Amino acid sequence: MGGTTSRLLGPIAAALTQAGLIVQLFIDVVRNLFRRPFQFREFIEQAWFIASVTILPTALVAIPFGAVVSLQTGSLIKQLGAESFTGAASVLAVIQQGSPIVTALLIAGAAGSAVTADLGSRTIREEIDAMEVLGINPVQRLVVPRVLAMVLVAVLLNGLVSVVGIAGGYFFNVILQGGTPGAYLASFSALAQLPDLYIAEAKAAIFGVIAGIVAAYKGLHPNPGPKGVGEAVNQTVVITFLLLFFANLILTMVYLQVVPAKGG
């Protein structure tokens, strides 16, 4: 009986310990964020690298996503006899939920895995230990610029996904479903409002923080050897996806309770 209990409680205890260490790393990042000197060059290099590996996939994913949302909402609204609100419904779906989710998936899948592989390879080569011996804080030197770079790129990618998704939705609704261009554009202000854009950008920034912290933690604590780095990359993607979807649920619930719907 005791062995069964230990086998059940072991993974739970390990998960709680890992969660605590991730929170501790987040606190260390916040603390070192205001410590000088700030690694501005590292921040620029990481932001450029993350943008280079995520911009094209994000744009390519945003086009079919916006099309699917537009086609589905257009078909549903046509059944309800409210074709004039097709544009507003599509914009709300893309901005509030679509663009942050697409941004989160690309940031976690492409950028997070790249950061984990980079830091993990440095760790198994004992570069992180060498930095600590020399009195260099690896969190300040390596982690902080990467987390800030992921936040910046996530916010910018969210805007890109919103624009591309809305443009794709407009094209498919007007061309394929025979919608009216003027009605599609005029209905934007019927249901959409500026706080919808604010919460989308806030979601993107929070998702960037979560993805950056998890990627950095897994990169700094891989199992020995190249196989351990590969396992850390896989764990980073899975854990980040779970945390991002849970965070999206919490943020959406809070937003809908705090900000009333337009016209409600």
Side-chain angles (χ1 to χ4, degrees), residues 50 75 225:
I50 294 172
S75 176

Side-chain angles (χ1 to χ4, degrees), residues 85-147:
F85 291 98
T86 302
S90 301
V91 168
L92 281 178
V94 170
I95 291 181
Q96 279 194 15
Q97 301 298 329
S99 57
I101 290 298
V102 172
T103 301
L105 296 180
L106 269 298
I107 285 292
S113 58
V115 169
T116 302
D118 178 34
L119 295 179
S121 61
R122 292 171 183 260
T123 301
I124 64 173
R125 291 198 303 263
E126 300 182 351
E127 292 183 16
I128 304 299
D129 295 336
M131 293 177 65
E132 293 177 346
V133 170
L134 294 174
I136 301 174
N137 189 346
V139 175
Q140 179 191 8
R141 179 65 179 82
L142 300 176
V143 177
V144 171
R146 283 163 172 78
V147 173

Side-chain angles (χ1 to χ4, degrees), residues 20-195:
L21 293 175
I22 292 175
V23 173
Q24 182 180 357
L25 178 61
F26 170 73
I27 296 174
D28 292 339
V29 168
V30 175
R31 185 183 300 116
N32 287 275
L33 182 63
F34 305 100
R35 182 174 296 178
R36 297 293 179 265
F38 178 72
Q39 303 298 325
F40 187 75
R41 180 176 180 179
E42 184 78 12
F43 167 72
I44 296 298
E45 291 178 353
Q46 292 300 317
W48 176 256
F49 169 73
I50 294 172
S52 65
V53 300
T54 55
I55 286 180
L56 182 59
T58 301
L60 294 178
V61 171
I63 294 174
F65 187 87
V68 169
V69 171
S70 178
L71 293 174
Q72 187 65 45
T73 55
S75 176
L76 178 61
I77 289 179
K78 185 175 293 184
Q79 296 177 20
L80 298 176
E83 291 87 346
S84 60
F85 291 98
T86 302
S90 301
V91 168
L92 281 178
V94 170
I95 291 181
Q96 279 194 15
Q97 301 298 329
S99 57
I101 290 298
V102 172
T103 301
L105 296 180
L106 269 298
I107 285 292
S113 58
V115 169
T116 302
D118 178 34
L119 295 179
S121 61
R122 292 171 183 260
T123 301
I124 64 173
R125 291 198 303 263
E126 300 182 351
E127 292 183 16
I128 304 299
D129 295 336
M131 293 177 65
E132 293 177 346
V133 170
L134 294 174
I136 301 174
N137 189 346
V139 175
Q140 179 191 8
R141 179 65 179 82
L142 300 176
V143 177
V144 171
R146 283 163 172 78
V147 173
L148 292 180
M150 294 185 76
V151 172
L152 175 63
V153 175
V155 172
L156 297 179
L157 284 180
N158 183 74
L160 173 64
V161 174
S162 299
V163 172
V164 174
I166 293 173
Y170 172 85
F171 174 81
F172 281 92
N173 178 263
V174 173
I175 302 300
L176 297 183
Q177 293 184 315
T180 305
Y184 188 92
L185 297 176
S187 64
F188 281 9
S189 60
L191 299 177
Q193 51 186 338
L194 276 179

Side-chain angles (χ1 to χ4, degrees), residues 177-228:
Q177 293 184 315
T180 305
Y184 188 92
L185 297 176
S187 64
F188 281 9
S189 60
L191 299 177
Q193 51 186 338
L194 276 179
D196 297 330
L197 180 61
Y198 299 156
I199 187 60
E201 294 292 351
K203 284 182 179 181
I206 294 173
F207 293 166
V209 172
I210 294 174
I213 295 297
V214 174
Y217 171 79
K218 285 297 181 180
L220 294 176
H221 302 88
N223 293 326
K227 181 180 179 181

